[in-house]
Amino acid sequence: MNFERRNLLLLAAASAVAPEMMLRTAGAQPLAAPGGRKLGYAIVGLGTYGLGVIIPEFARCQNSRLAAVVTGDAAKGARVAAEHGLPASAVYSYANFDSIRDNPDVDIVYVCLPNAMHADYTIRAAKAGKHVMCEKPMAISVAECEAMIAACRKADRKLMIGYRCHFEPFNLEAMRLARSGAAGNIRYVRTEHGFTQGDPSKWRLKRALSGGGSLMDMGVYSLQAARYMTGEEPIAVTARESTDRSDPRFREVEDMIEWNLEFPSGAIAGCQSMYSANQNHVLLMGDKGRIELEPATRYSGNHMWTGRDGRERELTPPPGPRATQFAGQLDHLADCIVTGREPIVGGAEGLRDMRIVEEIYRSAREGRTIRLDGRA
């Protein structure tokens, strides 16, 4: 059976070939909360992402809504509340954030803050009795991730990490094809993510707020893609950093870091992240073909191809009722709360990534391969 015919058959029978992936499809129908009420989100942080990306997506959600905002800018908070029909009481400052426990309209807190603040606000939200969506990376250390998981478990609250690509149609189709053998036995994955950081004053270039450089930002996309495209957990990592410390942007954090991952099947992943060039690419190669995405993980405008040794056929996943990956992830957590299921990208997923991130840094620092499977 040739590669293109196999693709067509797999696309037609995807639910039979990989039923576990159907939980991740952007077309999954959300379940209504008791009484038909949409679950309310409080967005913590009205920066570019929280205000400019996430809040507009509630208009596309079927089971989620904006219920409150948390910001250090009272005027901005009041303006956003007015624009979205929220009462003045739905605007919180960082100083009075903990009083959100008294607001029954807020079911979920979405933490859209600098990395170093993720753990604090996740733990405080759980103590306030709220479920939590936390942006990636989950935190800046394994210890913080573990504390976040423990706090949500103690409070019996759901914890989900904002891995939006698990709800993005091209990445979903690539995962499904890879898992079902469309490219044959997976031999190699290459994934590169980066953009040009131009302003040294940005918080992402301040170690105290970011926890690191490109690896703690764009590197998470490369690491995630290597894991979800292979469907395996890596057993070893070898990393190398390349940073011009005379560049004022990189006095505190790394610019480019590259790492190779080894998997139990024998597959290899070559990964990169960088803050000095624009990259957004995922390529999987198997012994019978390849699956390629470029751009792979943008907010919109992604593309996907399959072929034996090139871009022979461009694929467009069938449209679903959800318009975007963002609405998909927002509704997914709401659905999990209603049904009692665990999120497909919960705290354990964020912790797994952070364990690997720490070993990538260690490998680059020590100049050697680090085993991830406990073997010497």
Short mmCIF file of all heavy atoms in Angstrom, two decimals, residues 128-192:
data_model
loop_
_atom_site.label_atom_id
_atom_site.label_comp_id
_atom_site.label_asym_id
_atom_site.label_seq_id
_atom_site.Cartn_x
_atom_site.Cartn_y
_atom_site.Cartn_z
N ALA A 128 -8.02 28.68 47.31
CA ALA A 128 -9.27 29.45 47.24
C ALA A 128 -10.41 28.59 46.72
O ALA A 128 -11.53 29.10 46.54
CB ALA A 128 -9.08 30.67 46.35
N GLY A 129 -10.15 27.32 46.43
CA GLY A 129 -11.19 26.41 45.99
C GLY A 129 -11.48 26.45 44.51
O GLY A 129 -12.53 25.99 44.06
N LYS A 130 -10.52 26.97 43.71
CA LYS A 130 -10.73 27.10 42.28
C LYS A 130 -9.90 26.08 41.51
O LYS A 130 -8.78 25.75 41.91
CB LYS A 130 -10.38 28.51 41.80
CG LYS A 130 -11.06 29.63 42.59
CD LYS A 130 -12.58 29.53 42.57
CE LYS A 130 -13.22 30.67 43.35
NZ LYS A 130 -14.71 30.56 43.39
N HIS A 131 -10.45 25.59 40.40
CA HIS A 131 -9.67 24.78 39.47
C HIS A 131 -8.68 25.70 38.76
O HIS A 131 -8.87 26.92 38.72
CB HIS A 131 -10.60 24.10 38.46
CG HIS A 131 -11.65 23.25 39.10
ND1 HIS A 131 -11.40 21.98 39.55
CD2 HIS A 131 -12.96 23.51 39.39
CE1 HIS A 131 -12.52 21.46 40.06
NE2 HIS A 131 -13.47 22.38 39.99
N VAL A 132 -7.63 25.11 38.16
CA VAL A 132 -6.56 25.94 37.60
C VAL A 132 -6.16 25.51 36.20
O VAL A 132 -5.92 24.32 35.94
CB VAL A 132 -5.30 25.89 38.50
CG1 VAL A 132 -4.21 26.81 37.92
CG2 VAL A 132 -5.63 26.31 39.93
N MET A 133 -6.08 26.48 35.30
CA MET A 133 -5.37 26.37 34.04
C MET A 133 -4.11 27.22 34.19
O MET A 133 -4.20 28.41 34.54
CB MET A 133 -6.20 26.89 32.88
CG MET A 133 -5.47 26.88 31.53
SD MET A 133 -5.62 25.34 30.65
CE MET A 133 -7.30 25.48 30.02
N CYS A 134 -2.95 26.63 33.93
CA CYS A 134 -1.69 27.36 34.08
C CYS A 134 -0.94 27.33 32.76
O CYS A 134 -0.80 26.27 32.14
CB CYS A 134 -0.84 26.75 35.19
SG CYS A 134 0.75 27.59 35.45
N GLU A 135 -0.44 28.48 32.35
CA GLU A 135 0.32 28.53 31.11
C GLU A 135 1.60 27.72 31.22
O GLU A 135 2.11 27.45 32.31
CB GLU A 135 0.64 29.98 30.75
CG GLU A 135 -0.25 30.54 29.66
CD GLU A 135 -0.38 29.61 28.48
OE1 GLU A 135 0.64 29.26 27.84
OE2 GLU A 135 -1.52 29.20 28.18
N LYS A 136 2.11 27.34 30.05
CA LYS A 136 3.39 26.64 30.00
C LYS A 136 4.53 27.65 30.00
O LYS A 136 4.33 28.80 29.57
CB LYS A 136 3.45 25.71 28.78
CG LYS A 136 3.37 26.44 27.42
CD LYS A 136 4.73 26.93 26.98
CE LYS A 136 4.68 27.83 25.78
NZ LYS A 136 5.91 28.61 25.58
N PRO A 137 5.74 27.31 30.47
CA PRO A 137 6.03 26.09 31.20
C PRO A 137 5.32 26.10 32.54
O PRO A 137 5.04 27.17 33.10
CB PRO A 137 7.55 26.13 31.38
CG PRO A 137 7.87 27.58 31.41
CD PRO A 137 6.91 28.22 30.44
N MET A 138 5.05 24.94 33.07
CA MET A 138 4.25 24.85 34.29
C MET A 138 4.84 25.68 35.42
O MET A 138 4.10 26.34 36.17
CB MET A 138 4.17 23.38 34.70
CG MET A 138 3.32 23.10 35.92
SD MET A 138 3.20 21.31 36.16
CE MET A 138 2.37 21.24 37.75
N ALA A 139 6.15 25.67 35.55
CA ALA A 139 6.84 26.43 36.60
C ALA A 139 8.30 26.52 36.22
O ALA A 139 8.68 26.19 35.10
CB ALA A 139 6.64 25.75 37.96
N ILE A 140 9.14 26.96 37.15
CA ILE A 140 10.56 27.11 36.82
C ILE A 140 11.42 26.04 37.46
O ILE A 140 12.64 26.09 37.36
CB ILE A 140 11.08 28.51 37.20
CG1 ILE A 140 10.96 28.76 38.70
CG2 ILE A 140 10.35 29.58 36.41
CD1 ILE A 140 11.65 30.04 39.15
N SER A 141 10.80 25.06 38.11
CA SER A 141 11.57 23.95 38.69
C SER A 141 10.66 22.76 38.92
O SER A 141 9.43 22.90 39.00
CB SER A 141 12.21 24.35 40.02
OG SER A 141 11.22 24.50 41.04
N VAL A 142 11.27 21.60 39.02
CA VAL A 142 10.52 20.38 39.34
C VAL A 142 9.86 20.52 40.69
O VAL A 142 8.70 20.13 40.88
CB VAL A 142 11.47 19.16 39.31
CG1 VAL A 142 10.83 17.95 39.97
CG2 VAL A 142 11.89 18.84 37.88
N ALA A 143 10.57 21.09 41.66
CA ALA A 143 10.02 21.24 43.01
C ALA A 143 8.75 22.07 42.99
O ALA A 143 7.76 21.76 43.68
CB ALA A 143 11.05 21.85 43.94
N GLU A 144 8.73 23.16 42.20
CA GLU A 144 7.53 23.98 42.11
C GLU A 144 6.38 23.21 41.47
O GLU A 144 5.22 23.32 41.91
CB GLU A 144 7.82 25.26 41.33
CG GLU A 144 8.62 26.30 42.10
CD GLU A 144 8.65 27.64 41.41
OE1 GLU A 144 8.23 27.74 40.23
OE2 GLU A 144 9.08 28.62 42.05
N CYS A 145 6.67 22.45 40.43
CA CYS A 145 5.63 21.65 39.78
C CYS A 145 5.01 20.67 40.77
O CYS A 145 3.78 20.51 40.82
CB CYS A 145 6.20 20.88 38.60
SG CYS A 145 6.72 21.90 37.20
N GLU A 146 5.85 20.03 41.55
CA GLU A 146 5.34 19.05 42.52
C GLU A 146 4.47 19.74 43.57
O GLU A 146 3.45 19.18 43.99
CB GLU A 146 6.52 18.33 43.17
CG GLU A 146 7.25 17.41 42.20
CD GLU A 146 8.52 16.81 42.77
OE1 GLU A 146 9.09 17.40 43.72
OE2 GLU A 146 8.96 15.75 42.27
N ALA A 147 4.86 20.94 43.99
CA ALA A 147 4.08 21.68 44.98
C ALA A 147 2.72 22.08 44.41
O ALA A 147 1.70 22.07 45.11
CB ALA A 147 4.84 22.91 45.45
N MET A 148 2.67 22.44 43.13
CA MET A 148 1.42 22.81 42.47
C MET A 148 0.47 21.61 42.40
O MET A 148 -0.73 21.72 42.68
CB MET A 148 1.71 23.35 41.07
CG MET A 148 2.47 24.66 41.06
SD MET A 148 3.28 25.01 39.48
CE MET A 148 1.88 25.39 38.43
N ILE A 149 1.02 20.47 42.02
CA ILE A 149 0.21 19.25 41.94
C ILE A 149 -0.33 18.88 43.31
O ILE A 149 -1.51 18.54 43.46
CB ILE A 149 1.04 18.10 41.34
CG1 ILE A 149 1.35 18.38 39.87
CG2 ILE A 149 0.32 16.76 41.50
CD1 ILE A 149 2.34 17.42 39.24
N ALA A 150 0.52 18.97 44.32
CA ALA A 150 0.11 18.61 45.68
C ALA A 150 -1.00 19.54 46.18
O ALA A 150 -1.96 19.10 46.82
CB ALA A 150 1.31 18.66 46.62
N ALA A 151 -0.87 20.84 45.89
CA ALA A 151 -1.88 21.80 46.35
C ALA A 151 -3.23 21.54 45.70
O ALA A 151 -4.27 21.61 46.37
CB ALA A 151 -1.41 23.22 46.05
N CYS A 152 -3.24 21.26 44.40
CA CYS A 152 -4.50 20.99 43.71
C CYS A 152 -5.10 19.66 44.16
O CYS A 152 -6.33 19.54 44.29
CB CYS A 152 -4.29 21.03 42.20
SG CYS A 152 -3.94 22.69 41.55
N ARG A 153 -4.26 18.69 44.40
CA ARG A 153 -4.76 17.40 44.89
C ARG A 153 -5.38 17.56 46.27
O ARG A 153 -6.47 17.02 46.55
CB ARG A 153 -3.63 16.38 44.93
CG ARG A 153 -4.09 14.97 45.36
CD ARG A 153 -2.93 14.01 45.45
NE ARG A 153 -2.31 13.81 44.14
CZ ARG A 153 -1.04 14.07 43.87
NH1 ARG A 153 -0.23 14.56 44.81
NH2 ARG A 153 -0.55 13.84 42.68
N LYS A 154 -4.71 18.30 47.14
CA LYS A 154 -5.22 18.51 48.50
C LYS A 154 -6.56 19.23 48.48
O LYS A 154 -7.46 18.92 49.28
CB LYS A 154 -4.21 19.31 49.32
CG LYS A 154 -4.63 19.54 50.76
CD LYS A 154 -3.55 20.29 51.54
CE LYS A 154 -3.99 20.52 52.98
NZ LYS A 154 -2.94 21.26 53.76
N ALA A 155 -6.71 20.18 47.56
CA ALA A 155 -7.96 20.95 47.46
C ALA A 155 -9.01 20.25 46.61
O ALA A 155 -10.13 20.75 46.48
CB ALA A 155 -7.66 22.33 46.88
N ASP A 156 -8.64 19.09 46.02
CA ASP A 156 -9.54 18.35 45.12
C ASP A 156 -9.97 19.22 43.95
O ASP A 156 -11.13 19.27 43.57
CB ASP A 156 -10.76 17.82 45.88
CG ASP A 156 -11.53 16.78 45.07
OD1 ASP A 156 -10.91 16.13 44.19
OD2 ASP A 156 -12.75 16.61 45.31
N ARG A 157 -9.00 19.92 43.36
CA ARG A 157 -9.24 20.77 42.21
C ARG A 157 -8.46 20.24 41.01
O ARG A 157 -7.39 19.66 41.15
CB ARG A 157 -8.81 22.21 42.48
CG ARG A 157 -9.48 22.91 43.64
CD ARG A 157 -10.97 23.17 43.40
NE ARG A 157 -11.78 22.03 43.86
CZ ARG A 157 -13.12 21.98 43.77
NH1 ARG A 157 -13.77 22.99 43.23
NH2 ARG A 157 -13.77 20.94 44.22
N LYS A 158 -8.99 20.45 39.81
CA LYS A 158 -8.31 20.07 38.58
C LYS A 158 -7.18 21.04 38.28
O LYS A 158 -7.28 22.24 38.54
CB LYS A 158 -9.28 20.07 37.39
CG LYS A 158 -10.51 19.19 37.55
CD LYS A 158 -10.16 17.72 37.49
CE LYS A 158 -11.45 16.88 37.52
NZ LYS A 158 -11.13 15.44 37.68
N LEU A 159 -6.11 20.50 37.69
CA LEU A 159 -4.98 21.32 37.24
C LEU A 159 -4.67 20.94 35.81
O LEU A 159 -4.42 19.77 35.51
CB LEU A 159 -3.76 21.08 38.13
CG LEU A 159 -2.44 21.72 37.67
CD1 LEU A 159 -2.57 23.23 37.56
CD2 LEU A 159 -1.31 21.34 38.62
N MET A 160 -4.67 21.91 34.92
CA MET A 160 -4.38 21.69 33.51
C MET A 160 -3.33 22.69 33.06
O MET A 160 -3.32 23.84 33.51
CB MET A 160 -5.65 21.83 32.68
CG MET A 160 -5.46 21.65 31.18
SD MET A 160 -7.06 21.61 30.32
CE MET A 160 -6.54 21.98 28.65
N ILE A 161 -2.43 22.26 32.19
CA ILE A 161 -1.38 23.13 31.65
C ILE A 161 -1.77 23.55 30.24
O ILE A 161 -2.32 22.75 29.47
CB ILE A 161 -0.02 22.42 31.65
CG1 ILE A 161 0.26 21.81 33.04
CG2 ILE A 161 1.10 23.41 31.29
CD1 ILE A 161 0.17 22.78 34.20
N GLY A 162 -1.49 24.80 29.89
CA GLY A 162 -1.95 25.37 28.62
C GLY A 162 -1.17 24.89 27.41
O GLY A 162 -0.62 25.72 26.66
N TYR A 163 -1.16 23.59 27.19
CA TYR A 163 -0.52 23.02 26.01
C TYR A 163 -1.52 23.03 24.86
O TYR A 163 -2.12 22.01 24.51
CB TYR A 163 -0.05 21.59 26.30
CG TYR A 163 1.13 21.47 27.22
CD1 TYR A 163 1.07 20.67 28.36
CD2 TYR A 163 2.33 22.12 26.94
CE1 TYR A 163 2.16 20.53 29.20
CE2 TYR A 163 3.42 21.99 27.77
CZ TYR A 163 3.34 21.19 28.90
OH TYR A 163 4.42 21.05 29.72
N ARG A 164 -1.66 24.19 24.25
CA ARG A 164 -2.72 24.41 23.27
C ARG A 164 -2.58 23.52 22.03
O ARG A 164 -3.58 23.25 21.34
CB ARG A 164 -2.73 25.88 22.85
CG ARG A 164 -1.41 26.36 22.27
CD ARG A 164 -1.41 27.84 21.93
NE ARG A 164 -0.10 28.29 21.54
CZ ARG A 164 0.45 28.08 20.34
NH1 ARG A 164 -0.23 27.44 19.40
NH2 ARG A 164 1.67 28.52 20.07
N CYS A 165 -1.36 23.08 21.71
CA CYS A 165 -1.16 22.29 20.49
C CYS A 165 -1.89 20.95 20.54
O CYS A 165 -2.11 20.33 19.50
CB CYS A 165 0.33 22.09 20.21
SG CYS A 165 1.17 23.62 19.78
N HIS A 166 -2.25 20.49 21.72
CA HIS A 166 -3.02 19.25 21.84
C HIS A 166 -4.47 19.45 21.41
O HIS A 166 -5.25 18.50 21.41
CB HIS A 166 -2.96 18.74 23.27
CG HIS A 166 -1.62 18.18 23.64
ND1 HIS A 166 -1.35 16.82 23.66
CD2 HIS A 166 -0.46 18.79 23.99
CE1 HIS A 166 -0.09 16.62 24.02
NE2 HIS A 166 0.46 17.81 24.22
N PHE A 167 -4.82 20.69 21.05
CA PHE A 167 -6.16 21.01 20.57
C PHE A 167 -6.10 21.69 19.21
O PHE A 167 -7.11 22.19 18.72
CB PHE A 167 -6.88 21.90 21.58
CG PHE A 167 -6.93 21.29 22.95
CD1 PHE A 167 -5.91 21.53 23.88
CD2 PHE A 167 -7.96 20.45 23.31
CE1 PHE A 167 -5.93 20.94 25.13
CE2 PHE A 167 -7.99 19.85 24.57
CZ PHE A 167 -6.98 20.10 25.47
N GLU A 168 -4.93 21.69 18.58
CA GLU A 168 -4.72 22.35 17.30
C GLU A 168 -4.87 21.29 16.19
O GLU A 168 -4.23 20.25 16.24
CB GLU A 168 -3.32 22.98 17.27
CG GLU A 168 -3.11 24.01 16.19
CD GLU A 168 -2.82 23.40 14.85
OE1 GLU A 168 -2.17 22.33 14.79
OE2 GLU A 168 -3.26 23.97 13.83
N PRO A 169 -5.73 21.50 15.18
CA PRO A 169 -6.08 20.44 14.25
C PRO A 169 -4.92 19.84 13.47
O PRO A 169 -4.89 18.62 13.24
CB PRO A 169 -7.10 21.08 13.31
CG PRO A 169 -7.16 22.52 13.65
CD PRO A 169 -6.52 22.72 14.98
N PHE A 170 -3.94 20.63 13.06
CA PHE A 170 -2.83 20.07 12.29
C PHE A 170 -1.96 19.18 13.18
O PHE A 170 -1.52 18.10 12.76
CB PHE A 170 -1.99 21.19 11.67
CG PHE A 170 -2.71 21.91 10.56
CD1 PHE A 170 -3.39 23.08 10.81
CD2 PHE A 170 -2.71 21.40 9.27
CE1 PHE A 170 -4.06 23.75 9.80
CE2 PHE A 170 -3.38 22.05 8.25
CZ PHE A 170 -4.06 23.24 8.51
N ASN A 171 -1.69 19.62 14.40
CA ASN A 171 -0.91 18.80 15.31
C ASN A 171 -1.66 17.53 15.68
O ASN A 171 -1.08 16.45 15.80
CB ASN A 171 -0.54 19.60 16.56
CG ASN A 171 0.59 20.56 16.31
OD1 ASN A 171 1.75 20.28 16.57
ND2 ASN A 171 0.26 21.74 15.78
N LEU A 172 -2.97 17.62 15.85
CA LEU A 172 -3.78 16.44 16.14
C LEU A 172 -3.72 15.43 15.00
O LEU A 172 -3.56 14.23 15.21
CB LEU A 172 -5.24 16.85 16.39
CG LEU A 172 -5.52 17.54 17.71
CD1 LEU A 172 -6.92 18.16 17.70
CD2 LEU A 172 -5.40 16.54 18.86
N GLU A 173 -3.83 15.93 13.77
CA GLU A 173 -3.78 15.04 12.62
C GLU A 173 -2.39 14.41 12.48
O GLU A 173 -2.25 13.23 12.17
CB GLU A 173 -4.15 15.80 11.35
CG GLU A 173 -4.58 14.92 10.20
CD GLU A 173 -5.81 14.10 10.55
OE1 GLU A 173 -6.77 14.60 11.15
OE2 GLU A 173 -5.80 12.90 10.20
N ALA A 174 -1.34 15.20 12.74
CA ALA A 174 0.02 14.67 12.69
C ALA A 174 0.21 13.58 13.74
O ALA A 174 0.80 12.53 13.47
CB ALA A 174 1.03 15.80 12.89
N MET A 175 -0.27 13.82 14.96
CA MET A 175 -0.18 12.80 16.01
C MET A 175 -0.89 11.52 15.60
O MET A 175 -0.37 10.41 15.76
CB MET A 175 -0.80 13.31 17.31
CG MET A 175 0.00 14.32 18.09
SD MET A 175 -0.83 14.69 19.66
CE MET A 175 -1.20 16.43 19.45
N ARG A 176 -2.09 11.68 15.06
CA ARG A 176 -2.89 10.51 14.71
C ARG A 176 -2.21 9.69 13.61
O ARG A 176 -2.12 8.46 13.69
CB ARG A 176 -4.29 10.96 14.27
CG ARG A 176 -5.23 9.82 13.96
CD ARG A 176 -6.67 10.24 14.06
NE ARG A 176 -6.98 11.39 13.23
CZ ARG A 176 -7.63 12.46 13.69
NH1 ARG A 176 -8.01 12.54 14.95
NH2 ARG A 176 -7.91 13.46 12.88
N LEU A 177 -1.72 10.38 12.60
CA LEU A 177 -1.03 9.67 11.52
C LEU A 177 0.23 8.99 12.03
O LEU A 177 0.52 7.85 11.68
CB LEU A 177 -0.71 10.64 10.39
CG LEU A 177 -1.89 11.15 9.57
CD1 LEU A 177 -1.44 12.24 8.60
CD2 LEU A 177 -2.55 10.01 8.81
N ALA A 178 1.00 9.69 12.85
CA ALA A 178 2.24 9.11 13.37
C ALA A 178 1.95 7.88 14.23
O ALA A 178 2.61 6.84 14.07
CB ALA A 178 3.01 10.15 14.19
N ARG A 179 0.96 7.99 15.12
CA ARG A 179 0.65 6.87 16.02
C ARG A 179 0.09 5.66 15.28
O ARG A 179 0.23 4.54 15.74
CB ARG A 179 -0.36 7.33 17.08
CG ARG A 179 0.06 8.54 17.90
CD ARG A 179 0.99 8.20 19.06
NE ARG A 179 1.33 9.41 19.80
CZ ARG A 179 0.62 9.86 20.82
NH1 ARG A 179 -0.45 9.23 21.23
NH2 ARG A 179 1.02 10.96 21.45
N SER A 180 -0.58 5.90 14.17
CA SER A 180 -1.22 4.80 13.45
C SER A 180 -0.33 4.20 12.37
O SER A 180 -0.77 3.33 11.62
CB SER A 180 -2.54 5.26 12.85
OG SER A 180 -2.36 6.39 12.02
N GLY A 181 0.90 4.66 12.26
CA GLY A 181 1.86 4.03 11.37
C GLY A 181 1.86 4.53 9.95
O GLY A 181 2.42 3.87 9.06
N ALA A 182 1.30 5.68 9.69
CA ALA A 182 1.24 6.19 8.32
C ALA A 182 2.63 6.40 7.72
O ALA A 182 2.80 6.26 6.51
CB ALA A 182 0.46 7.51 8.27
N ALA A 183 3.60 6.76 8.55
CA ALA A 183 4.96 6.95 8.07
C ALA A 183 5.84 5.72 8.32
O ALA A 183 7.04 5.76 8.09
CB ALA A 183 5.59 8.18 8.72
N GLY A 184 5.22 4.66 8.80
CA GLY A 184 5.98 3.46 9.14
C GLY A 184 6.62 3.58 10.50
O GLY A 184 6.14 4.30 11.38
N ASN A 185 7.69 2.85 10.70
CA ASN A 185 8.41 2.91 11.97
C ASN A 185 9.12 4.25 12.09
O ASN A 185 9.89 4.64 11.21
CB ASN A 185 9.44 1.78 12.07
CG ASN A 185 8.79 0.42 12.13
OD1 ASN A 185 7.77 0.24 12.80
ND2 ASN A 185 9.36 -0.55 11.43
N ILE A 186 8.87 4.96 13.19
CA ILE A 186 9.45 6.29 13.37
C ILE A 186 10.94 6.17 13.65
O ILE A 186 11.36 5.46 14.56
CB ILE A 186 8.75 7.03 14.52
CG1 ILE A 186 7.26 7.22 14.20
CG2 ILE A 186 9.41 8.39 14.79
CD1 ILE A 186 6.44 7.70 15.38
N ARG A 187 11.73 6.90 12.87
CA ARG A 187 13.18 6.85 13.04
C ARG A 187 13.74 8.17 13.57
O ARG A 187 14.69 8.18 14.34
CB ARG A 187 13.86 6.53 11.69
CG ARG A 187 13.41 5.24 11.05
CD ARG A 187 13.57 4.04 12.00
NE ARG A 187 14.95 3.93 12.45
CZ ARG A 187 15.31 3.61 13.69
NH1 ARG A 187 14.38 3.41 14.61
NH2 ARG A 187 16.58 3.51 14.01
N TYR A 188 13.14 9.31 13.15
CA TYR A 188 13.73 10.59 13.51
C TYR A 188 12.66 11.67 13.53
O TYR A 188 11.77 11.70 12.68
CB TYR A 188 14.82 10.97 12.49
CG TYR A 188 15.52 12.28 12.76
CD1 TYR A 188 16.29 12.47 13.90
CD2 TYR A 188 15.41 13.34 11.86
CE1 TYR A 188 16.93 13.67 14.14
CE2 TYR A 188 16.06 14.55 12.08
CZ TYR A 188 16.81 14.71 13.23
OH TYR A 188 17.44 15.91 13.46
N VAL A 189 12.75 12.55 14.51
CA VAL A 189 11.91 13.73 14.58
C VAL A 189 12.81 14.95 14.72
O VAL A 189 13.75 14.94 15.52
CB VAL A 189 10.93 13.68 15.79
CG1 VAL A 189 10.18 15.00 15.93
CG2 VAL A 189 9.94 12.54 15.63
N ARG A 190 12.55 15.97 13.91
CA ARG A 190 13.28 17.23 14.04
C ARG A 190 12.27 18.32 14.36
O ARG A 190 11.24 18.44 13.70
CB ARG A 190 14.02 17.57 12.75
CG ARG A 190 14.94 18.79 12.93
CD ARG A 190 15.87 18.98 11.75
NE ARG A 190 15.22 19.66 10.65
CZ ARG A 190 15.16 19.20 9.41
NH1 ARG A 190 15.69 18.01 9.12
NH2 ARG A 190 14.57 19.88 8.45
N THR A 191 12.56 19.10 15.38
CA THR A 191 11.62 20.15 15.77
C THR A 191 12.39 21.38 16.25
O THR A 191 13.26 21.28 17.11
CB THR A 191 10.63 19.63 16.84
OG1 THR A 191 9.82 20.70 17.31
CG2 THR A 191 11.33 18.97 18.01
N GLU A 192 12.09 22.52 15.64
CA GLU A 192 12.81 23.77 15.91
C GLU A 192 11.81 24.89 16.14
O GLU A 192 10.89 25.07 15.34
CB GLU A 192 13.69 24.14 14.71
CG GLU A 192 14.67 23.05 14.31
CD GLU A 192 14.65 22.76 12.82
OE1 GLU A 192 13.65 23.11 12.14
OE2 GLU A 192 15.63 22.17 12.33
#
